[in-house]
Amino acid sequence: MFSRLARPALSKCMSQRTFTTSSKTNAKVAVLGASGGIGQPLSLLLKTSPAITQLSLYDIAHTPGVAADLSHIETPAKVSGHMGPDELDACLEGADLVLIPAGVPRKPGMTRDDLFNTNASIVLNLAKACAKKCPQAMVGIITNPVNSTVPIAAEVYKREGVQGWEKRLFGVTTLDAVRANTFIAEARGLEVAHMSVPVIGGHSGVTIIPLISQATPAVSFPPEERKALTVRIQNAGTEVVEAKAGAGSATLSMAFAAARFAGKVLEALAGGEGQVECAFVKSNETDSSYFATPILLGKNGVEANLGVGKMIEYEIQLVSEAKEELQANIKKGEDFVAQNWS
Ligand code: NAD
Ligand code: LMR
C-alpha cells in the first residue's frame, strides 16, 4: 500500500543543479552507448564535471572518435574510448557510476515496449558485464523500455549473486521530472529554476504520474487543465518522437536529465547530504515491485525511499490505472531473463 512517509522539503532536495565542486572527486564514470544520440551529449556534459577524473566511453561503434574529440576539452577528466565487447571490461573496471543509454530509440507510431525485442538482450549483456566487473557501482539505466530493462538488470544481478543491488540500480526517469518542471512553470508563469514536481510510477504513457499537487512552489489548476498538463507530461516523449519524424527520440533533454541524475549520485557518493531525485527502483511503496518515487541518495545508493507522499484523489486514480501496464512490463523483463539465461 502507499506509504505516507513524512518527507523533507523536496523543493530543496530536488534541485536542478547538475555538478557542484563538492561532488565525489576522483570518480570514474562509464557510459555504455556513448556514441549515440544521448551518449555523445551526455558524455560532453560529464566531461565538464569537476568530480570526474576518468570518463570511460563504450559503444559498439565510433568510440575512438568520440573519445578523441572530448579528450581535447580543457577539463580534468581523462577520457578513454572502448569499442566492441572485447573492450567492455576495461571500460567498467573500477567504475563508481555506469550510465546505460545503449539501444535503439523509437520511431513515430512505436511504443517504448516495441523496443523490447532489440533492447532487452543489449541490457541483459551489459548488466552481466557490470555485475562481474563493477558490482558495487551505481548503475543508471536509460535504455527503453525502462519499466522492463531495470527488472532485466535486476534479474541478472540476482543470478550473478550480487548483494545489495536494490540500492544501486536505478531506472533514470529524471527527464519526466524535468519536463513536468518546465511545463508547469510555463503554465503558471513561474520561474522554472525554482519549480519542483515529483513524477512517480514508471516511464511509459499512463505509468508516468506527475504529482502536481506536491509541486513546489504550490500551484493549483482547474481539473481539466490539470488533466491536460498530466497528459502532456505523459506524452512528452512521443511529442519529441513525432517532431523528429523518424530521426529518433529525445536526446539533448535526456542528456541534460541524465547528467543531473549523475551529478546527484556523485554528490551523494562524496558524502553530500540531501540529494533527492525521482528514479525507478525496486520498491515496496505500492503493489508494483519496481516504482519510481523520490529517492534520497547516499554513499551506498538508495539511502531512503521517500515514497509517494500525500496524493489527491486524481493522482491515486492515476496510480491505480498504471498498475496493470507497469506490472506487465516488469514481468516481461523478468520472464525474458528467466528464458534467456545461460
Ligand atoms: P541512438 O541509436 O542514437 O544511440 C544508441 C547507441 O547505442 C548507438 O551509439 C549504438 O551503437 C549503441 N549500441 C547499440 N547496441 C549496443 C551494445 N550492445 N552495446 C553498446 N552500445 C550499443 O539512441 P538514443 O537516442 O541515444 O537512445 C538510446 C536509448 O535511450 C533508447 O532505448 C531510447 O528509447 C532511450 N531513451 C530513454 C529515455 C529515458 O527517459 N529513460 C529518454 C530518451 C531515450
Ligand atoms: C522519452 O521519454 O523521451 C524517452 O523515453 C524516449 C521515447 O521513446 O519517448
Side-chain angles (χ1 to χ4, degrees):
M1 280 315 294
F2 308 141
S3 73
R4 296 267 187 267
L5 283 181
R7 301 196 285 175
L10 292 183
S11 58
K12 288 210 178 96
C13 304
M14 293 176 64
S15 76
Q16 298 175 16
R17 287 170 306 148
T18 44
F19 303 118
T20 69
T21 44
S22 63
S23 298
K24 178 177 169 25
T25 46
N26 301 319
K28 172 170 175 175
V29 178
V31 181
L32 313 184
S35 307
I38 296 166
Q40 290 203 38
L42 172 58
S43 301
L44 170 61
L45 292 170
L46 295 171
K47 179 72 172 84
T48 68
S49 166
I52 299 173
T53 44
Q54 176 65 44
L55 181 59
S56 297
L57 310 181
Y58 174 78
D59 203 297
I60 51 172
H62 308 309
T63 30
V66 176
D69 191 354
L70 287 177
S71 71
H72 292 185
I73 294 174
E74 53 181 0
T75 54
K78 296 273 174 266
V79 184
S80 57
H82 308 263
M83 192 165 68
D86 290 349
E87 299 184 15
L88 178 54
D89 283 359
C91 175
L92 293 173
E93 183 90 58
D96 298 293
L97 168 65
V98 182
L99 296 166
I100 309 184
V104 292
R106 286 199 283 165
K107 291 191 186 319
M110 293 172 82
T111 65
R112 290 178 183 81
D113 186 57
D114 291 334
L115 305 172
F116 186 96
N117 287 347
T118 309
N119 290 351
S121 58
I122 293 175
V123 171
L124 188 154
N125 289 324
L126 294 175
K128 208 184 251 189
C130 293
K132 287 183 196 297
K133 279 321 274 187
C134 54
Q136 298 307 311
M138 304 296 142
V139 177
I141 299 184
I142 297 165
T143 310
N144 273 316
V146 167
N147 294 358
S148 302
T149 53
V150 172
I152 287 173
E155 289 304 304
V156 170
Y157 271 58
K158 285 185 209 167
R159 282 167 175 74
E160 292 292 344
V162 178
Q163 302 296 312
W165 59 268
E166 298 92 336
K167 289 188 181 300
R168 300 191 295 275
L169 192 56
F170 303 88
V172 182
T173 58
T174 318
L175 180 54
D176 299 314
V178 166
R179 288 167 169 158
N181 292 345
T182 304
F183 301 162
I184 287 169
E186 265 171 18
R188 276 286 167 266
L190 293 168
E191 192 164 343
V192 71
H194 299 136
M195 180 55 66
S196 180
V197 185
V199 181
I200 65 167
H203 181 67
S204 72
V206 297
T207 73
I208 298 170
I209 304 164
L211 299 181
I212 298 174
S213 72
Q214 293 179 19
T216 43
V219 284
S220 77
F221 295 97
E224 278 315 305
E225 196 179 352
R226 184 175 61 219
K227 184 172 177 199
L229 277 163
T230 298
V231 170
R232 182 165 183 222
I233 294 160
Q234 291 176 326
N235 290 336
T238 306
E239 199 178 289
V240 178
V241 169
E242 284 170 0
K244 290 198 173 180
S249 56
T251 52
L252 304 173
S253 51
M254 183 61 233
F256 171 86
R260 179 168 114 186
F261 171 79
K264 291 193 182 184
V265 170
L266 295 177
E267 180 88 14
L269 286 178
E273 293 182 353
Q275 300 301 310
V276 175
E277 193 62 77
C278 290
F280 185 68
V281 295
K282 187 84 177 80
S283 174
N284 298 317
E285 298 301 318
T286 67
D287 299 333
S288 299
S289 53
Y290 295 81
F291 203 82
T293 41
I295 300 296
L296 176 65
L297 298 159
K299 279 187 172 172
N300 300 310
V302 176
E303 182 94 9
N305 190 323
L306 302 181
V308 300
K310 189 168 172 1
M311 297 185 289
I312 59 173
E313 205 47 50
Y314 174 66
E315 294 160 348
I316 292 171
Q317 184 61 30
L318 292 175
V319 172
S320 156
E321 282 164 16
K323 180 174 150 182
E324 193 181 338
E325 180 172 326
L326 192 48
Q327 293 187 348
N329 293 161
I330 292 166
K331 182 172 184 314
K332 188 170 177 179
E334 292 175 340
D335 288 351
F336 178 80
V337 180
Q339 287 152 17
N340 292 279
W341 190 250
S342 59

